[in-house]
Amino acid sequence: MPWLTTIILFPIVASLLIPFIPDKEGKGRPIRWYALVIGLIDFALIVYAFYTQYDLSYPGLQLVESYPWIPQIGLNWSVGADGLSMPLVILTGFITTLATLAAWPVTWKPRLFYFLLLAMYGGQIAVFAVQDMLLFFLVWELELIPVYLLLAIWGGKQRQYAATKFILYTAGGSLFILIAALAMAFYGDTVTFDMRAIAAKDMAVNFQLWMYAAFFIAYAVKLPIIPFHTWLPDAHGEATAPVHMLLAGILLKMGGYAYIRMNAGMLPDAHAIVAPALVIFGVVNIVYAALTSFAQRNLKRKIAYSSISHMGFVIIGIASFTDLGLSGAVLQMVSHGLIGASLFFLVGATYDRTHTLMLDEMGGVGKRMGKMFSMWTACSLASLALPGMSGFVAELMVFVGFAQSDAYNPTFKALVILLAAVGVILTPIYLLSMLREICYGPENKELVEHQALIDAEPREVFIIACLLVPIIGIGLYPKILTQVYDATTVQLTERLRESVPAIAQKQQMPETPLALQPFIGAPSIGK
C-alpha cells in the first residue's frame, strides 16, 4: 500500500467534499464532526504505518514511493520517511487533529475554515515526507496559502497586516529554496531533483557556501532565527487558537527539519564552516527572545517570543557535531511542538472568557477557574523545562552534547553555555511571573462583573490532557522518542564529523554520560 501518498492525499481529497455536506443550521456542526473524523482517520493511518512498516534500527529512508509526475522537467512524486521526518509526521497528525477539536467554537464560514484546515493537514505532512527538491518547494509554497487565509479571515483586529507580513516574509524566503534547488539540480554532469542524488554530488566548498546561504535565509524565516523573526509575534498576536497550535506546533518545526535535512545533510562542508556562526545565532535567539518576552504585556506576544527563545536550543544542537546534541535538537522540536500548542490553546481559551490579552487587565482568574489554573500551571512548568517533562531532557541533551563537542575550543563552549544558561534562568522568571499575573494578581472588578469566567469545559480539559501525556511521558522516559531517530542522527553526525578535521582526527570522544544512557539510549559519540 502507498502509505505516505495515502496519508498526504487523504485529508486533501476529503476537504474537497466539504461543500457537499448539508448544514441546515448554518453553524457548521456536521462539518466540524466530518473534519475531526477525517483527522482521526489520517492520524490512525500514520500510527499504523509507523508501527507496522517502520524499522527503528534502519537509518535510511523507509516507506519510499516514487512515481513520474511531470517527466518533461524531471519532477517526480517522491516520498519517504526516516528518523528525521517520521517523528514530525506523527507530531503533525497529532497536533492537527487536536487543532481541529480546538476549532469547535468556529461558526463563521465553517466550510472554508475546515477546508483550509484539512488541506493544510496534508500539505504539512508532505513537507516532511517529499524527497524531490522541486516537489519540496511546491508543497512548501502550498502550505503558505491556508495559513495566510486563516490569519486574514479569522484573525484579530490587525489580521490583514499580520497575514500580509507572514506571506511576504515566508514567500520571499521560499524563493531562495527554488534558486538553490535549481542550482544544485543542474550542478555537475547529471540533472536531478532527487535529494539523495543531490546529496551524493561532489560539490565545491564555495558552491556549497552559496547554497547554504540561500537555504539559511529561507529556513531562518520559518524557524525563526533573529533578525528574521518579526513576522511571528504579529502572526501569533492575531491568530485564533487552532491556528496558534499549527503555527507553534508544526510550522516552526518545518524550518528546523529543513535545516537539518538540507543545510546539514546535503551541504556538510559548508555546515562545518558556518556552524560557529550558527551557534552564535542560537545564543542570540535564546537570550534576546527571553529578554523580549520578559518585557511583553500582551499574552500572545509573550508566549510567541518564548517560542523563539526555545528554538535557539534547536539551532545550537544542529551545530554541535555530536550525536547527543543533534538528538537533543530533534527532541526539542517535538517537545516544543507539544508545549507550544498547549500554551497557545490556553491563551485562546482564556481570551474567550476574559476578552483581553493584556496582563494588566487580568488577575484573580485562578480563584474563579480552578481547572484553567491547573492547566496553565502544568503547561507553564513544562515550558520552563521542569525536570520530568520533555523540555528539560531536550535542553539538557543540547547542553551536554555541545559541551562534549571537539569542534569548538573550550573557551567558546564555556561562553556559549554560560549565555544559554542565562536564557534558561530568565525563562522561569517570565513564565512564573505571567502565571502569577493571570491567576493570582489583583482581581479585575470590571472583568468579573461583566464577563462570565466559566471554568474549562471537558473538551478543553481533554485537549490539554492529550498534550500533557506525551510531554510527561517523554520527560520521564525519553527513549520512547529518541529510539525513533537515533539511527538517522548517528549516521548524519558521522558524515558531518568527516567535514571537520579537528573531529575527524579524533579516534575517541567522550561517551554519553552513564546517567543518561539507560533513558536516552544514544550510542557513544565516538562511534
Side-chain angles (χ1 to χ4, degrees):
M1 178 177 174
W3 287 102
L4 285 176
T5 299
T6 303
I7 289 167
I8 293 168
L9 296 182
F10 176 68
I12 297 175
V13 173
S15 69
L16 300 176
L17 301 178
I18 286 180
F20 304 101
I21 299 176
D23 182 19
K24 296 180 180 179
E25 297 181 0
K27 295 183 178 180
R29 290 180 181 177
I31 298 169
R32 67 191 186 190
W33 277 108
Y34 172 80
L36 180 60
V37 169
I38 295 298
L40 287 170
I41 292 174
D42 207 52
F43 181 58
L45 288 173
I46 294 171
V47 173
Y48 182 82
F50 171 69
Y51 277 106
T52 61
Q53 307 295 319
Y54 189 82
D55 182 1
L56 298 177
S57 62
Y58 182 66
L61 286 175
Q62 305 179 52
L63 304 171
V64 176
E65 304 164 32
S66 185
Y67 313 104
W69 189 10
I70 308 178
Q72 291 83 353
I73 61 173
L75 178 59
N76 297 317
W77 176 266
S78 179
V79 293
D82 61 5
L84 292 178
S85 51
M86 197 69 213
L88 297 173
V89 169
I90 297 172
L91 178 70
T92 300
F94 184 62
I95 296 295
T96 309
T97 302
L98 290 178
T100 305
L101 185 59
W104 228 240
V106 174
T107 56
W108 189 62
K109 295 185 178 180
R111 293 185 190 277
L112 179 58
F113 184 90
Y114 286 104
F115 166 80
L116 295 172
L117 216 59
L118 289 179
M120 193 174 171
Y121 196 156
Q124 289 171 327
I125 294 174
V127 168
F128 299 124
V130 297
Q131 301 300 320
D132 182 283
M133 283 296 297
L134 189 55
L135 182 60
F136 178 85
F137 168 75
L138 293 176
V139 296
W140 184 279
E141 287 288 279
L142 179 64
E143 168 271 330
L144 302 181
I145 299 172
V147 180
Y148 171 78
L149 293 174
L150 287 168
L151 280 172
I153 297 175
W154 288 272
K157 294 180 180 179
Q158 300 294 322
R159 58 183 180 274
Q160 296 296 335
Y161 170 79
T164 302
K165 193 172 184 179
F166 164 80
I167 202 70
L168 288 176
Y169 269 67
T170 51
S174 300
L175 291 178
F176 291 92
I177 300 176
L178 179 60
I179 293 169
L182 292 173
M184 293 168 68
F186 284 90
Y187 186 90
D189 299 327
T190 59
V191 178
T192 178
F193 289 103
D194 183 84
M195 290 185 183
R196 288 172 292 180
I198 291 175
K201 289 185 176 183
D202 185 16
M203 291 178 278
V205 175
N206 286 339
F207 179 79
Q208 285 194 34
L209 286 171
W210 281 107
M211 298 302 99
Y212 196 100
F215 283 140
F216 175 81
I217 293 172
Y219 305 141
V221 171
K222 186 72 78 172
L223 196 58
I225 296 175
I226 294 169
F228 303 93
H229 69 290
T230 58
W231 65 271
L232 183 66
D234 291 321
H236 272 306
E238 303 303 323
T240 56
V243 180
H244 279 312
M245 296 174 71
L246 297 176
L247 282 171
I250 304 170
L251 263 72
L252 304 190
K253 314 308 169 288
M254 290 164 57
Y257 163 79
Y259 206 101
I260 299 173
R261 174 72 70 192
M262 296 178 192
N263 289 62
M266 299 171 69
L267 305 166
D269 295 333
H271 185 67
I273 297 171
V274 178
L278 195 63
V279 172
I280 295 173
F281 273 113
V283 171
V284 172
N285 254 50
I286 294 171
V287 178
Y288 174 84
L291 288 170
T292 308
S293 179
F294 189 88
Q296 296 298 311
R297 305 306 299 160
N298 182 294
L299 186 56
K300 286 185 177 181
R301 296 181 71 89
K302 180 180 282 287
I303 298 177
Y305 277 105
S306 173
S307 295
I308 297 171
S309 179
H310 283 99
M311 294 308 289
F313 289 97
V314 175
I315 303 169
I316 294 175
I318 294 172
S320 67
F321 292 97
T322 62
D323 298 339
L324 191 60
L326 184 57
S327 179
V330 178
L331 184 60
Q332 176 73 343
M333 287 196 289
V334 176
S335 171
H336 180 264
L338 297 166
I339 296 170
S342 67
L343 284 173
F344 277 113
F345 172 73
L346 287 175
V347 171
T350 304
Y351 177 77
D352 289 341
R353 291 160 170 80
T354 62
H355 298 286
T356 181
L357 292 170
M358 305 307 296
L359 290 170
D360 297 331
E361 299 173 2
M362 296 183 183
V365 170
K367 300 176 183 178
R368 297 178 177 271
M369 298 190 294
K371 295 176 184 176
M372 288 290 291
F373 162 70
S374 299
M375 294 190 294
W376 263 113
T377 302
C379 295
S380 297
L381 293 175
S383 185
L384 61 82
L386 183 76
M389 294 189 172
S390 58
F392 172 78
V393 183
E395 293 180 12
L396 178 63
M397 290 170 67
V398 171
F399 269 117
V400 176
F402 184 77
Q404 291 181 337
S405 176
D406 273 6
Y408 307 99
N409 64 60
T411 303
F412 181 76
K413 289 193 295 185
L415 182 61
V416 167
I417 292 172
L418 177 64
L419 291 174
V422 172
V424 173
I425 294 170
L426 288 173
T427 302
I429 296 176
Y430 67 73
L431 283 174
L432 293 178
S433 174
M434 174 195 73
L435 186 64
R436 175 183 56 80
E437 291 187 87
I438 296 172
C439 300
Y440 292 106
E443 194 173 78
N444 186 331
K445 299 298 183 181
E446 183 178 347
L447 179 67
V448 172
E449 291 174 1
H450 293 88
Q451 305 295 340
L453 297 181
I454 303 171
D455 206 353
E457 59 186 60
R459 175 183 61 88
E460 295 167 329
V461 175
F462 176 78
I463 291 172
I464 294 299
C466 287
L467 291 165
L468 284 175
V469 166
I471 289 171
I472 296 172
I474 294 171
L476 295 176
Y477 193 69
K479 191 175 180 180
I480 195 172
L481 177 60
T482 60
Q483 65 182 347
V484 177
Y485 59 77
D486 265 344
T488 303
T489 54
V490 168
Q491 184 185 64
L492 177 57
T493 305
E494 289 176 352
R495 188 182 181 203
L496 291 174
R497 288 175 57 229
E498 292 173 359
S499 301
V500 185
I503 293 182
Q505 294 172 3
K506 296 288 183 180
Q507 294 182 353
Q508 182 68 33
M509 292 178 63
E511 293 187 353
T512 304
L514 294 175
L516 296 179
Q517 283 181 357
F519 298 96
I520 296 172
S524 168
I525 296 173
K527 293 184 179 179

